[in-house]
Amino acid sequence: MRNPWTRTGNYKTSYAQDTTIFATYSEQASLAVFLIGMLVLPRFLVRGDMQILDLILIYALAVLGLNIITGYAGLINIGHAAFMGVGAYTAALVAPHLPFWAVLPVSGLVAAAAGAVVGIPALRIKHLYLAIATLAFQLIFEWAVGHSPALEQGGAMAMPRGMVFFGYKIAFKNHHYFWYYVSFTVLVLMAFGFRNLLRTRFGRSLVAVRDNDRAADAMGMDPGKTKVFAFALGAFYAGVAGALYAYWSRAVVIEDYSLMISIKFLAMAIVGGLGTLVGSFLGPAFLELLDINMETFSYAIKEIYNPPGVDVGSAIRPLAFGLAIVLFLIFEPRGLANWWRLLRSYFRNWPFKY
Amino acid sequence: MAQLSVENVTLSFGGINALNSVDIVVEPGELVSIIGPNGAGKTSLLNCISGFYHPTHGQITFEGNDLTKASPHTISGYGIARAFQNIELFGGVSVLENLMLARHTYLKYSIGAASVFYGAARRGEVENRRVVEDVIDFMELEPYRKALVGNLPYGVRKRVEVARALSLEPKLLLLDEPMAGMTLEEKEDMVRFILDILAERYTTVILIEHDLGIVMDISDRVYVLDFGMVIATGKPEDVAENPAVIEAYVGGAG
Ligand SMILES: Nc1ncnc2c1ncn2[C@@H]1O[C@H](COP(=O)(O)OP(=O)(O)OP(=O)(O)O)[C@@H](O)[C@H]1O
Ligand SMILES: [Mg+2]
């Protein structure tokens, strides 16, 4: 009998149907419940929580961009924070003249242009050499900002305050709530956008150059152009994330887009699961929540054990971060996304075991 | 005029000639086999035709297009598809997606349409899915449609290689040892597929194969390569009796 609630009872009768993303009613229903849950969530949270939640959403968007480049197209990128930075500085420069909803795509496009330029070496070089090119971009970016008086040489560039959006004034109290809804909307739209790309020639070609760029070439794809495209697309996501980060943090400072952050993004992508969409959300959420809890934990440690000359408290956070990455690499290199997959396939194939 | 012509092609790797003044012509609809001992230069020849190597001397043309310096993706656009000797599939995705990847150049919709999966994007995907499903039917790959390619047994992966090349709807199909390492039954299937490709899909085929029994059975013409040189060419029965060929096989392999 046909039962559209589960996969096992679902016969597809056309190719168009077979390409749908959320195929069963129960998948559609859980998606709807999740989205509504996210929309009402702020009602139950205080300002401090919102700040963290905003950060997770913005980082998720950036990590999604990194996943496009590194996870899907297989191009190691150690300069992703710099793409985000390009977006953020673009936002700082254009925000006084444009409404925020125009600033976001403009920042994305400028970052995408930077991404394409960084991707050009990919026409010739591969693997580790290409990774070094992205590292070089990170360093050049930091150096260039540090030497630009127009960008305050890396010091704080303030974002406009007291914005009014359709008569709604964004002030200190509702700042994090407002940017939550903006970030969430942007993230959902851009994630769906990429999910759609994945079932078209654009997404498939990314995976093709990752898996076998000789074969991709023989199938009519230009591997070089595809890699440049991957960088531009991933950097676009990072650029939009950078603009959101700029608004969220109310100022653009170079430290927020440093090499350290690029490495953090890589860690988030790995912990979440490289080359998975859901991993782009799970990775940042896991590592940010871990960090916050470790901060609380380190205060508690200081109370109990605080030998002179050694700062036990501040060692806890980087230690937990490093440990989490190492444990994931050893025990679950496919990341949290793999747990998610197992959970899903359990429910999807219900009532069968496999 | 010949559909494909390889004229006086030499390919050197630092002094060693993998190919030495090779001349080959292929007419539309033919099944031409290339045989020769290991290291004779058969794969190197296919690499030159498909643009992975560029000849040191000589010229290759296909239906009026100069292939000599063209890139693989340009050449695939002219209508030449290839199945690799060492399976080169996209291991991380399904059989279906491997074949859909071969439709890349047929899909023309914009990134805007793709990001909402609407209009031209949806239509293009559905139309090309139909083409791919035909190939899946043709190559009897239905049971593996959604299977991850990396997990499939060797014989099936070889078949997916051929199916992927066919999905390009090529005018000329290059098959580099599509039956190597297969069981007898799998080989018979593959022979049947190749004959059907010729008869039903009107595709020219260049076949590299070590199993001389099969080659002599199904080829229209045969080229024999040894140390990068064409040492014999002609109808299978003529080639089989050629003393130079017997010498190359007995002397080389024996
Ligand atoms: N990229 C390369 N660099 C150096 N030498 C090469 C290269 N490619 C092929 N050769 C050499 O060219 C010669 C022909 O190799 P090729 O792979 O074309 O042989 P083949 O006829 O396909 O052999 P087999 O039957 O084993 O597949 C060999 O001596 C090989 O070592
Ligand atoms: Mg070979």
Side-chain angles (χ1 to χ4, degrees):
Chain A
M1 217 178 67
R2 192 180 148 81
N3 171 10
W5 285 85
T6 62
R7 294 247 164 178
T8 41
N10 197 358
Y11 319 120
K12 284 151 191 160
T13 48
S14 80
Y15 301 142
Q17 266 178 27
D18 199 20
T19 58
T20 13
I21 303 171
F22 294 95
T24 64
Y25 289 171
S26 40
E27 278 170 327
Q28 287 162 7
S30 12
L31 178 72
V33 168
F34 173 75
L35 291 179
I36 291 167
M38 287 297 282
L39 288 175
V40 298
L41 186 60
R43 286 203 59 83
F44 307 101
L45 297 177
V46 297
R47 252 195 93 246
D49 298 334
M50 291 308 295
Q51 190 169 352
I52 298 158
L53 202 55
D54 289 4
L55 182 64
I56 291 174
L57 293 181
I58 295 168
Y59 273 175
L61 187 60
V63 171
L64 176 53
L66 179 61
N67 248 324
I68 292 173
I69 300 170
T70 304
Y72 286 94
L75 309 159
I76 302 171
N77 174 8
I78 322 179
H80 200 63
F83 292 138
M84 191 172 167
V86 170
Y89 278 102
T90 307
L93 293 174
V94 303
H97 315 291
L98 290 177
F100 82 87
W101 49 263
V103 171
L104 298 184
V106 167
S107 303
L109 288 174
V110 173
V117 171
V118 175
I120 287 174
L123 298 174
R124 301 305 292 264
I125 58 175
K126 283 186 188 175
H127 312 304
L128 207 52
Y129 303 98
L130 185 60
I132 298 299
T134 64
L135 178 62
F137 173 68
Q138 175 78 50
L139 300 179
I140 291 167
F141 165 78
E142 288 181 29
W143 183 87
V145 171
H147 286 79
S148 299
L151 304 177
E152 303 292 343
Q153 293 177 320
M157 276 183 90
M159 294 292 287
R161 288 178 182 237
M163 281 183 2
V164 179
F165 180 59
F166 283 118
Y168 179 77
K169 192 163 186 306
I170 300 127
F172 178 77
K173 268 172 121 176
N174 58 3
H175 177 85
H176 290 310
Y177 292 91
F178 177 76
W179 288 108
Y180 171 82
Y181 284 109
V182 174
S183 305
F184 181 65
T185 310
V186 169
L187 178 62
V188 168
L189 289 178
M190 288 179 74
F192 265 104
F194 183 62
R195 186 63 191 79
N196 281 331
L197 286 187
L198 274 181
R199 47 190 180 145
T200 68
R201 69 187 177 105
F202 295 98
R204 280 195 299 262
S205 65
L206 299 180
V207 178
V209 295
R210 175 193 71 191
D211 281 2
N212 192 329
D213 65 352
R214 267 166 62 82
D217 209 346
M219 292 303 119
M221 280 156 264
D222 183 334
K225 273 194 199 152
T226 307
K227 289 173 189 173
V228 171
F229 166 72
F231 269 106
L233 185 66
F236 177 80
Y237 279 67
V240 175
L244 285 172
Y245 195 99
Y247 279 114
W248 169 80
S249 64
R250 300 191 182 90
V252 180
V253 193
I254 188 72
E255 282 79 21
D256 291 337
Y257 313 100
S258 65
L259 179 61
M260 194 44 221
I261 305 297
S262 280
I263 291 170
K264 193 164 164 172
F265 287 157
L266 276 170
M268 288 173 169
I270 291 168
V271 167
L274 268 180
T276 62
L277 198 57
V278 66
S280 311
F281 315 134
L282 298 179
F286 180 83
L287 283 182
E288 280 306 315
L289 292 177
L290 179 75
D291 195 52
I292 273 299
N293 284 306
M294 283 304 128
E295 195 176 351
T296 322
F297 181 60
S298 69
Y299 292 134
I301 290 281
K302 265 188 206 163
E303 299 284 303
I304 306 161
Y305 180 64
N306 197 8
V310 187
D311 191 352
V312 180
S314 60
I316 297 273
R317 283 169 66 187
L319 212 68
F321 177 78
L323 195 65
I325 296 165
V326 170
L327 290 178
F328 265 97
L329 285 176
I330 296 171
F331 295 108
E332 188 53 279
R334 283 183 290 179
L336 293 166
N338 197 40
W339 300 357
W340 174 253
R341 188 183 62 83
L342 295 175
L343 193 75
R344 240 174 87 119
S345 69
Y346 176 79
F347 283 106
R348 173 182 288 178
N349 292 335
W350 194 84
F352 302 119
K353 238 190 160 139
Y354 292 102
Chain B
M1 216 184 85
Q3 189 179 28
L4 175 80
S5 78
V6 175
E7 288 164 67
N8 194 26
V9 161
T10 298
L11 175 70
S12 316
F13 292 111
I16 304 160
N17 283 356
L19 296 173
N20 206 336
S21 304
V22 170
D23 285 295
I24 283 177
V25 288
V26 178
E27 302 293 337
E30 271 193 310
L31 168 53
V32 171
S33 290
I34 296 171
I35 60 172
N38 290 113
K42 304 181 295 295
T43 300
S44 300
L45 177 63
L46 285 205
N47 278 332
C48 286
I49 297 172
S50 53
F52 285 98
Y53 294 163
H54 301 298
T56 324
H57 297 291
Q59 202 185 17
I60 306 176
T61 50
F62 176 75
E63 299 189 339
N65 300 300
D66 185 5
L67 309 186
T68 320
K69 293 200 170 62
S71 62
H73 54 271
T74 311
I75 290 173
S76 105
Y78 294 148
I80 301 181
R82 163 171 190 189
F84 291 89
Q85 177 174 3
N86 307 311
I87 301 171
E88 304 227 16
L89 293 167
F90 306 111
V93 294
S94 68
V95 171
L96 184 62
E97 279 169 292
N98 266 271
L99 304 198
M100 281 303 283
L101 268 158
R103 303 300 297 168
H104 186 80
T105 46
Y106 292 89
L107 295 163
K108 302 265 191 238
Y109 48 75
S110 69
I111 188 165
S115 67
V116 289
F117 202 73
Y118 198 72
R122 178 185 290 269
R123 273 197 309 280
E125 285 298 316
V126 171
E127 274 163 29
N128 283 278
R129 173 75 186 268
R130 215 161 270 143
V131 176
V132 162
E133 287 292 337
D134 280 347
V135 175
I136 289 179
D137 265 2
F138 184 83
M139 295 295 296
E140 295 166 16
L141 284 167
E142 296 92 341
Y144 311 105
R145 192 184 276 116
K146 295 274 166 94
L148 217 61
V149 158
N151 300 340
L152 291 174
Y154 174 83
V156 180
R157 275 185 289 151
K158 280 292 233 194
R159 216 175 336 143
V160 177
E161 266 282 345
V162 177
R164 187 181 61 178
L166 268 187
S167 299
L168 273 164
E169 292 187 300
K171 298 178 211 164
L172 170 62
L173 181 61
L174 311 174
L175 300 175
D176 197 347
E177 304 196 20
M179 291 166 251
M182 282 188 163
T183 64
L184 189 63
E185 197 181 339
E186 287 171 329
K187 277 190 185 185
E188 281 169 355
D189 283 339
M190 189 56 83
V191 167
R192 185 163 52 81
F193 291 135
I194 294 172
L195 293 175
D196 286 348
I197 290 168
L198 287 159
E200 293 173 25
R201 302 182 77 93
Y202 313 105
T203 309
T204 314
V205 177
I206 297 181
L207 171 69
I208 295 178
E209 182 47 51
H210 278 294
D211 188 323
L212 293 189
I214 292 174
V215 168
M216 298 304 169
D217 244 21
I218 64 175
S219 312
D220 294 314
R221 285 185 308 117
V222 178
Y223 284 89
V224 188
L225 277 183
D226 194 18
F227 293 111
M229 281 183 286
V230 177
I231 56 164
T233 173
K235 294 216 174 315
E237 51 275 21
D238 303 335
V239 167
E241 285 160 16
N242 188 315
V245 176
I246 295 165
E247 165 64 23
Y249 269 85
V250 176

